[in-house]
């Protein structure tokens, strides 16, 4: 079966510091990968998605970037964090379903980032 | 992807059926209806999806109207652990259709003892 891992689970970082969040997927190949952010009490905001190694699409212009160095690894980065970067960061994957060819998404446990 | 409209919140008594409505009047013929839920402090969880036929799995049932302009997610015997935000999403489900799933505000379901 497929599993998705994210780390760290929680993170407290000062303003201006760098960020690196990692997501890995097991048990599938060629997944579509996604990064979402959820501010406190708000909905999910799609940040980036990737359909293959080195292929990144950005949904929202900001000081974050994403990379996909390996098929099942997705990294979210920032050179300098802002207070507004605080939130719950979620990684997700989707792939060709065995039941009908649809692309439902499966989410990781998330990283709660607090920028101080 | 078509827009969806859901009530912001609903209550349900424990053990009773929870019926969560979703309107998607601009749905296209090749768009599926997906449901996810998000329990507090966790990532969203896929529940069910359908195109035009009613669907049932171990978690829930999905009823889609004949004109496909609305649907209802049914949790047959709600428990306290079903308290969550439920998202109804309409999107094309194909490689060529794109890969983005846009989550709206959803419906916050409170299951009460």
């Amino acid at each position: 079966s497929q599993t998705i891992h994210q780390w760290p689970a929680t993170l407290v970082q000062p303003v201006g510091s760098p960020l690196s969040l990692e997501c890995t997927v097991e048990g599938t190949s060629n997944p579509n990968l996604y990064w979402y952010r959820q501010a406190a009490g708000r909905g999910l905001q799609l940040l980036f998605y990737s359909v293959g190694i080195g292929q990144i699409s950005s949904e929202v212009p900001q000081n974050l970037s994403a990379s996909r160095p390996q098929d099942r690894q997705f990294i979210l980065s920032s050179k300098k964090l802002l207070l507004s970067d605080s939130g719950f960061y979620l990684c997700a994957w989707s792939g060709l379903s065995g039941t009908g060819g649809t692309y439902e998404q499966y989410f990781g446990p998330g990283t709660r980032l607090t920028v101080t | 992807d078509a827009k969806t409209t859901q009530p912001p919140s609903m209550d349900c008594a424990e053990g009773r059926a929870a019926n969560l409505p979703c309107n998607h009047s601009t749905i296209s013929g090749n768009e599926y209806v997906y449901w996810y839920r998000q329990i507090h402090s966790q990532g969203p969880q896929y529940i069910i999806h359908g195109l035009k036929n009613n669907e049932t799995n171990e978690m829930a049932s999905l009823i889609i109207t004949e004109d496909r302009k609305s649907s209802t997610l049914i949790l047959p015997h709600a428990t306290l652990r079903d308290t969550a935000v439920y998202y109804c999403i309409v999107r094309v489900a194909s490689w060529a259709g794109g890969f983005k799933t846009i989550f709206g505000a959803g419906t916050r379901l409170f299951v009460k003892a």
Side-chain angles (χ1 to χ4, degrees), chain B residues 27-90:
Chain B
I27 192 170
S28 300
N30 61 347
E31 289 183 311
Y32 283 70
V33 180
Y34 291 80
W35 283 85
Y36 293 79
R37 74 178 182 184
Q38 187 175 21
I39 296 170
H40 183 63
S41 296
Q42 297 182 23
Q45 177 189 24
Y46 163 76
I47 300 174
I48 199 168
H49 72 274
L51 183 62
K52 55 183 178 180
N53 297 322
N54 296 337
E55 303 287 345
T56 296
N57 63 19
E58 64 279 4
M59 290 182 67
S61 295
L62 174 60
I63 308 298
I64 302 174
T65 58
E66 191 169 346
D67 62 8
R68 303 210 321 124
K69 293 185 176 182
S70 65
S71 60
T72 300
L73 179 75
I74 301 173
L75 308 178
H77 305 286
T79 71
L80 298 178
R81 289 177 295 179
D82 291 322
T83 293
V85 178
Y86 287 77
Y87 299 99
C88 169
I89 295 157
V90 171

Side-chain angles (χ1 to χ4, degrees), chain A residues 32 34 36 38 43-44 46 49 51 59 88 90 99-109 112, chain B residues 32 34 36 38 41-46 49 87 91 93-95 99-105 108:
Chain A
N32 301 325
Y34 311 80
Y36 288 85
Q38 188 172 35
L44 279 78
L46 178 63
Y49 69 95
V51 302
E59 287 296 300
F88 190 39
L90 290 154
T99 56
T102 55
Y103 288 84
E104 55 267 28
Q105 288 184 315
Y106 297 93
F107 286 79
R112 194 162 298 281
Chain B
Y32 283 70
Y34 291 80
Y36 293 79
Q38 187 175 21
S41 296
Q42 297 182 23
Q45 177 189 24
Y46 163 76
H49 72 274
Y87 299 99
R91 55 156 292 183
S94 68
W95 187 260
F99 315 100
K100 299 182 291 184
T101 297
I102 307 299
F103 288 77
R108 189 172 295 274

